[in-house]
Amino acid sequence: MVALSKACAIELAPKGVRVNTISPGTMLTGMVPDVDGIVEVLDKIQPVGYAANPSQTAAGVLFLASDEADYAACRVDCRWCARVIRALCG
């Protein structure tokens, strides 16, 4: 999906079309039961310290669909963002 998004973003940008891929990582939904503390384990292995919930991902989707994101194209990867923030902030 990422490679397809990159190719489409490059191809369609001159036509004013933005293409984005969202890779949120682990999502906590009703399909993830908190059996034997699994949610706590999932939180600990996330780069930002907690697993995402659907509303957090939806906020990113809404932003990318808005006019405010007119310069954003190709990829939003929460795991990658967390690594960059850690590298910049120590």
Side-chain angles (χ1 to χ4, degrees), residues 5 24 36 60 63 66 72 78 83-85:
S5 294
D36 297 328
F63 169 72
S66 75
C78 299
R83 286 193 295 269
V84 170
I85 291 168

Side-chain angles (χ1 to χ4, degrees), residues 26-35 38-39 42 51-54:
T26 303
M27 296 284 295
L28 293 179
T29 67
M31 296 175 62
V32 181
D34 193 10
V35 177
I38 190 68
V39 170
L42 291 173
N53 65 56

Side-chain angles (χ1 to χ4, degrees), residues 3-73:
L4 176 63
S5 294
K6 285 181 182 181
C8 289
I10 292 167
E11 177 96 13
L12 298 172
K15 298 175 182 172
V17 177
R18 297 185 321 252
V19 178
N20 292 284
T21 300
I22 297 178
S23 304
T26 303
M27 296 284 295
L28 293 179
T29 67
M31 296 175 62
V32 181
D34 193 10
V35 177
D36 297 328
I38 190 68
V39 170
E40 183 178 331
V41 172
L42 291 173
D43 284 346
K44 287 181 181 179
I45 63 172
Q46 302 308 309
V48 295
Y50 59 91
N53 65 56
S55 64
Q56 290 169 306
T57 301
V61 171
L62 289 174
F63 169 72
L64 289 172
S66 75
D67 290 337
E68 294 176 352
D70 64 343
Y71 196 71

